[in-house]
Amino acid sequence: MSRSQHSKTRDLVRAGARGLVGAMAMTGIRTLTGNIGLVEETPPEAIVGKHAPEPVQRLPVEHRTALTEAAHWSYGAFAGLGYNVLPRKIRSTPWFGPVYGLIIWLAFEAVIAPLLAVRPARRRLLGRLIIALDHAVYGIVVAGRLAPDPDAVQPQAERPAAS
């Protein structure tokens, strides 16, 4: 594998891992806020509750919850890959990570939820803000702002020359 191919593969793996970890961070936020009554039903729970096949519906609640989270983490990993294919100039903008997370949430709210008819009947404003916040956190993680690539934090003059 050439150096260029290795670098691209490494970048894709890192992007997918960031997406996975970002989705896991969202799970943590939702677990906390759900346990104190601020978020009643998350979008992944609504989708599984309404559209999962009968064998999934018959699973014990803890297994269905685990399956729901695994699916959400998979979506997060794929969205992390999606972030990685955006132009570097856009990705290097400090505020774009949280914006990317919010775009994902807004796309869900505007397109996917109506298509799947899973829009909660009445979600409180605070619950909606928490869902927006966890998507912004997802974007921060996906953008690598918490653990940037070494290349991203080295001044231009210190970077090794490209071969």
Side-chain angles (χ1 to χ4, degrees):
M1 182 182 300
S2 75
R3 183 180 189 107
S4 175
Q5 289 172 320
H6 182 267
S7 178
K8 288 178 183 177
T9 301
R10 184 195 69 212
D11 290 348
L12 285 173
V13 169
R14 183 176 284 132
R18 284 183 178 150
L20 174 65
V21 171
M24 290 174 166
M26 293 171 75
T27 297
I29 293 168
R30 291 174 183 188
T31 299
L32 173 69
T33 57
N35 286 337
I36 60 175
L38 298 177
V39 175
E40 294 169 15
E41 182 180 56
T42 66
E45 291 168 340
I47 292 169
V48 169
K50 187 162 187 168
H51 294 287
E54 185 60 33
V56 172
Q57 298 290 352
R58 287 194 308 256
L59 289 172
V61 69
E62 62 274 6
H63 294 161
R64 193 171 53 248
T65 299
L67 185 65
T68 302
E69 286 308 325
H72 185 248
W73 294 352
S74 297
Y75 301 146
F78 282 112
L81 293 172
Y83 184 86
N84 193 63
V85 301
L86 295 171
R88 184 176 299 276
K89 184 174 182 173
I90 292 172
R91 289 183 288 139
S92 67
T93 306
W95 50 264
F96 189 73
V99 168
Y100 182 75
L102 291 171
I103 288 169
I104 291 171
W105 174 60
L106 292 172
F108 174 83
E109 290 288 325
V111 179
I112 298 168
L115 286 174
L116 296 177
V118 294
R119 187 173 304 275
R122 289 173 38 105
R123 183 181 288 154
R124 296 183 315 205
L125 177 61
L126 184 56
R128 294 177 70 79
L129 290 173
I130 290 168
I131 299 290
L133 171 69
D134 72 20
H135 279 82
V137 167
Y138 170 83
I140 291 168
V141 173
V142 166
R145 298 289 172 219
L146 300 177
D149 294 332
D151 295 343
V153 294
Q154 287 180 343
Q156 185 69 29
E158 294 179 23
R159 290 187 188 165
S163 27

